[in-house]
Amino acid sequence: MPTTEATAPANETIQDLVIGNKILYRQKVVDAFGHLSVRHDKDPARYLMSRYVPPSFVTADDIVTFDLDSNPLDKTGLRYYSERFIHGEIYKLRADVKAIVHCHAPQLIPFAATKVPLRPLYHMSAFLGCRGCGVPVFDIREAAGMTDMLIRTPELGKALAASLEDKPMVLMRGHGATIVGGSVKQVVYRSIYAVENAALQMDAVRLGEPVYLADEEAVKAAESADKVVERPWALWRCEAVGDGDAAQK
Amino acid sequence: MPTTEATAPANETIQDLVIGNKILYRQKVVDAFGHLSVRHDKDPARYLMSRYVPPSFVTADDIVTFDLDSNPLDKTGLRYYSERFIHGEIYKLRADVKAIVHCHAPQLIPFAATKVPLRPLYHMSAFLGCRGCGVPVFDIREAAGMTDMLIRTPELGKALAASLEDKPMVLMRGHGATIVGGSVKQVVYRSIYAVENAALQMDAVRLGEPVYLADEEAVKAAESADKVVERPWALWRCEAVGDGDAAQK
Amino acid sequence: MPTTEATAPANETIQDLVIGNKILYRQKVVDAFGHLSVRHDKDPARYLMSRYVPPSFVTADDIVTFDLDSNPLDKTGLRYYSERFIHGEIYKLRADVKAIVHCHAPQLIPFAATKVPLRPLYHMSAFLGCRGCGVPVFDIREAAGMTDMLIRTPELGKALAASLEDKPMVLMRGHGATIVGGSVKQVVYRSIYAVENAALQMDAVRLGEPVYLADEEAVKAAESADKVVERPWALWRCEAVGDGDAAQK
Amino acid sequence: MPTTEATAPANETIQDLVIGNKILYRQKVVDAFGHLSVRHDKDPARYLMSRYVPPSFVTADDIVTFDLDSNPLDKTGLRYYSERFIHGEIYKLRADVKAIVHCHAPQLIPFAATKVPLRPLYHMSAFLGCRGCGVPVFDIREAAGMTDMLIRTPELGKALAASLEDKPMVLMRGHGATIVGGSVKQVVYRSIYAVENAALQMDAVRLGEPVYLADEEAVKAAESADKVVERPWALWRCEAVGDGDAAQK
């Protein structure tokens, strides 16, 4: 089914998706691997994500429309990310989710492989403490036994989505993490500060028993952070694409 | 009240403030968040700070004059940093303070969240040991219970200022740090080397029991450091704004 | 013996070798030291490697053809890497090996000097777990007593090659590591993610007892990784030589 | 006494000194502080060092000739490094020393403040193990009680020089380190790999009991390293001053 005027996403949706990819690369959340998607702004039963290219290479021409079973609805016959089911299955289960990041950021891997829960050490990453006690860890072994660790099927996507529950992030043992948000800007913010928190939490744990944000502090700080995502976005956009307009925002 | 010729700050004050913002960003003391202020050079009852933009974006046009209650006296009707009370309340309590940095540098967070006191491990950061034993930690919970961690009110600003006592720096649990100085150049120097000391102190603590500067050594080394702030400033200025003149200073 | 049309390597072989050198430098796997070689695509009894220059300086003109005893067959009379026997002796023993990296990446040295085995913590470096339990460590002292640590002779090359057995990598105590692969692109991929794994494994070990990939997971994930080496290569090539074509691949 | 044709240093001496300063900055051995000197190539009773500027700013015009009491013999009346006595007093005591680096590299400070001796973990930094067991630590407190930590007098310079004995490097508690060599290129090589070794030794110590180079291995590896200093110098020079000739060396 071709995309018509009526079903074409807003230019801003595409622009945020393209710039978000370049920001995630510039901020080292992704390298040649990892992906960012956004739910279609006119049709909640679709999502938009790049074809199979490194995030830093993504242009508007690379953006493909997928249904929630992760079938391409346009630009068919190309190579796509084999783990796109992460995105489709989460969009099915979580109506509140409008954008998703999947990454292998090295700072996150140790928290996916040990018993130390990733928890918010400062207000910038308060969302990590929202809705309870730290970030859940998905172990693909429990869902499917011995695999190549990748979310290659709808079933694995469903299992990952279920482990996420109502939280903003899930760690994936031996693999990486998936972060969700209400917009591209929010999920990019969350991804960058989740990685930052992981790095400084490792330092704090080694120094001594750290004091984390209390749940109530985390909820309040996360609400405040949601009101300021435009400010770091303007800087990250400027750093990633040298955008003068952004610099003056 | 409009700013008149008589009450306009010196050009050098504005220039140091703008360049200081860019240096703090280039040296990774601040990211999209954090702020630098300077007390008005002609009126100690006022201070100068940028409107609400990332520090690296700050230009002379963004500088706003505030009274010590942190009300804008010019460029009214803009968005300002919500935590500007950090600055106003410290300027009220500490006549010796001419410039203030607030930041979330990741190297500092672990020392704000654990029982390990930040102490000077070498002469570059000797000021950390001045006037007693290590850097105090402000816990907003003791002042106001469950909050979003931010210094959003004059009352919270007063509580933070009180915890600073007569020291050059205070750590803020779950948040960051505030550093004060007798000039923009001194507070920028202190901020950069406080972050550096935090990084190497973490290494030293993990290696074994480190020997810190003795109080007397710290006082003497800090006095010496105050005489050489122009030298790193020239380099940092050159790195931040590629200023050829600075390079020849 | 001069190289004739018949025995000249394919242009792509030379191009991959030159770009691989620049990628290894850009990704900090090598500094001024370390080297990359490739087995001759037309004659398995020869290999190609740069003359004695830092990897980032390598151009097509610097590529020398060696026999498996590591004697130069062209561009004779130049200075060559003193440790070229690492390459020749491994190519003799391992018909499956088509490309070899030798490096001193700092993240790898601690695993060559302690009892902690380098093991795959995530799918990107799954090959580390292939064919058994972690990466072997070669101690030159056992092979030759007190040396300057370098593989300066065919005998030392043979000893190193033997310690590699059928594995993709061997650590060298007090020295560095040698990584092998079925192509330049695969060995560059393996080198970069071996270094990445070392860095995050150090973090994970310090946090607590990490869960590594199971052998079966490692084998499957390594097979999958071998199918996607072109994607990071395109990015790394673009980062290393700013190649627009690569950027569009 | 003015410098005459007869007593003017060779152009190469000045060029190495200027480029060495820029390399030490580019490689993060020095920041705005730290200095590099070279013994005069025609008069062993003199040494050459920049006037008081950050190392990265140094040009040929900034180079001052000093006698071994660290009095300027030309370009008098300028500001000089207050710690120049480090250089003069070591040149007096150590006829074998032709070049000296003083720095505050953060990776070195923890080894100057703890009981863990800095020792060579790989062949690149083998010189750290030369002539015995690890790098000595100078504690200014034992020489002069409570100070500002700086080597401000000939007496303090003599005490530091004595603590160096016949070794290539001495750590300075609460301050930094001083490295010596037989040429600018050798001392720059030693400084860069001393810092590198400190970083990876910290990792190795935290992983488990590391195996260091045996004394005999260290002596042999250091001799070998001395034969290859031109290779990294060519790369570092290219990185520091973008010198195309160096790139082709």
Side-chain angles (χ1 to χ4, degrees), chain A residues 231 235 247-249, chain B residues 14-23 25 30 32 34-36 48-64 81 241:
Chain A
R231 181 166 153 200
L235 175 64
Q248 296 320 316
K249 261 188 191 162
Chain B
I14 299 296
Q15 187 189 40
D16 284 354
L17 184 56
V18 169
I19 291 172
N21 270 280
K22 297 181 189 299
I23 288 172
Y25 165 73
V30 299
H35 15 87
L36 167 66
L48 306 162
M49 186 163 66
S50 172
R51 65 185 179 92
Y52 180 88
V53 293
S56 62
F57 288 3
V58 172
T59 66
D61 293 342
D62 298 308
I63 304 303
V64 181
Y81 297 132
V241 300

Side-chain angles (χ1 to χ4, degrees), chain C residues 25 31-35 51-54 56-57 79 81 104 106 109-111 113-114 116 141 145-150 152 173-175 202 205-206, chain D residues 121-124 189 193 196 200 203-204 206-214 216-217 220-221 224 227-228 231-232 234-235 238-239 246-249:
Chain C
Y25 165 72
D31 53 7
F33 298 96
H35 16 86
R51 67 184 177 93
Y52 180 89
V53 294
S56 62
F57 288 3
R79 184 173 184 178
Y81 298 132
H104 310 151
I109 306 300
F111 289 96
T114 62
V116 181
R141 222 181 281 176
M146 291 292 139
T147 65
D148 71 352
M149 311 305 291
L150 301 180
R152 294 188 172 284
R173 196 266 309 164
H175 184 164
M202 278 188 282
V205 167
R206 292 179 209 144
Chain D
L121 207 52
Y122 71 156
H123 64 306
M124 304 305 294
Y189 173 98
Y193 283 109
E196 191 68 67
L200 56 86
D203 284 329
R206 292 179 209 144
L207 269 185
E209 273 309 306
V211 177
Y212 298 98
L213 294 197
E216 189 176 346
E217 289 173 328
K220 288 179 172 175
S224 296
K227 302 192 184 87
V228 300
R231 180 167 155 200
L235 176 64
C238 183
E239 292 174 329
Q248 295 322 315
K249 261 187 192 162

Side-chain angles (χ1 to χ4, degrees), chain C residues 68-81:
Chain C
L68 298 194
D69 292 327
S70 299
N71 302 308
L73 300 179
D74 51 23
K75 305 202 177 92
T76 53
L78 300 177
R79 184 173 184 178
Y80 312 106
Y81 298 132

Side-chain angles (χ1 to χ4, degrees), chain B residues 7-245:
Chain B
T7 60
N11 289 340
E12 190 186 358
T13 303
I14 299 296
Q15 187 189 40
D16 284 354
L17 184 56
V18 169
I19 291 172
N21 270 280
K22 297 181 189 299
I23 288 172
L24 291 172
Y25 165 73
R26 180 68 164 65
Q27 297 297 319
K28 297 183 161 37
V29 172
V30 299
D31 54 6
F33 298 96
H35 15 87
L36 167 66
S37 73
V38 61
R39 195 188 289 264
H40 195 298
D41 55 87
K42 296 203 182 103
D43 181 352
R46 299 177 177 189
Y47 70 94
L48 306 162
M49 186 163 66
S50 172
R51 65 185 179 92
Y52 180 88
V53 293
S56 62
F57 288 3
V58 172
T59 66
D61 293 342
D62 298 308
I63 304 303
V64 181
T65 308
F66 296 93
D67 65 24
L68 297 194
D69 292 327
S70 299
N71 302 308
L73 300 179
D74 52 23
K75 305 205 177 91
T76 54
L78 300 177
R79 184 172 183 177
Y80 311 107
Y81 297 132
S82 58
E83 297 195 284
R84 61 192 180 277
F85 305 102
I86 292 171
H87 302 260
E89 300 304 323
I90 289 175
Y91 287 124
K92 276 186 198 171
L93 235 66
R94 290 277 299 270
D96 62 306
V97 171
K98 306 299 184 200
I100 299 171
V101 166
H102 171 64
C103 71
H104 310 150
Q107 297 91 332
L108 297 174
I109 306 300
F111 289 96
T114 63
K115 294 258 168 288
V116 181
L118 183 63
R119 296 181 56 188
L121 207 52
Y122 71 156
H123 65 307
M124 305 304 294
S125 48
F127 73 92
L128 293 173
C130 290
R131 311 189 186 77
C133 54
V135 177
V137 178
F138 172 76
D139 190 338
I140 195 168
R141 223 183 278 176
E142 295 166 8
M146 291 293 139
T147 66
D148 71 353
M149 312 305 290
L150 301 180
I151 306 298
R152 294 189 173 284
T153 66
E155 292 62 38
L156 286 167
K158 282 178 175 55
L160 177 67
S163 73
L164 178 64
E165 294 176 335
D166 65 346
K167 297 190 171 54
M169 176 173 178
V170 60
L171 290 159
M172 302 157 77
R173 196 267 307 166
H175 184 165
T178 298
I179 304 100
V180 302
S183 69
V184 166
K185 289 173 180 175
Q186 187 191 46
V187 81
V188 165
Y189 173 99
R190 286 177 168 182
S191 300
I192 289 169
Y193 283 108
V195 170
E196 192 67 68
N197 190 89
L200 56 86
Q201 187 179 345
M202 278 189 282
D203 284 330
V205 167
R206 292 179 209 144
L207 269 186
E209 273 310 305
V211 177
Y212 298 98
L213 294 197
D215 287 353
E216 189 176 347
E217 289 173 328
V219 171
K220 287 179 172 175
E223 283 167 4
S224 295
D226 289 343
K227 300 192 184 87
V228 300
V229 292
E230 288 289 346
R231 179 167 155 199
W233 177 269
L235 175 64
W236 294 329
R237 172 180 173 166
C238 183
E239 293 174 329
V241 300
D243 184 329
D245 297 341

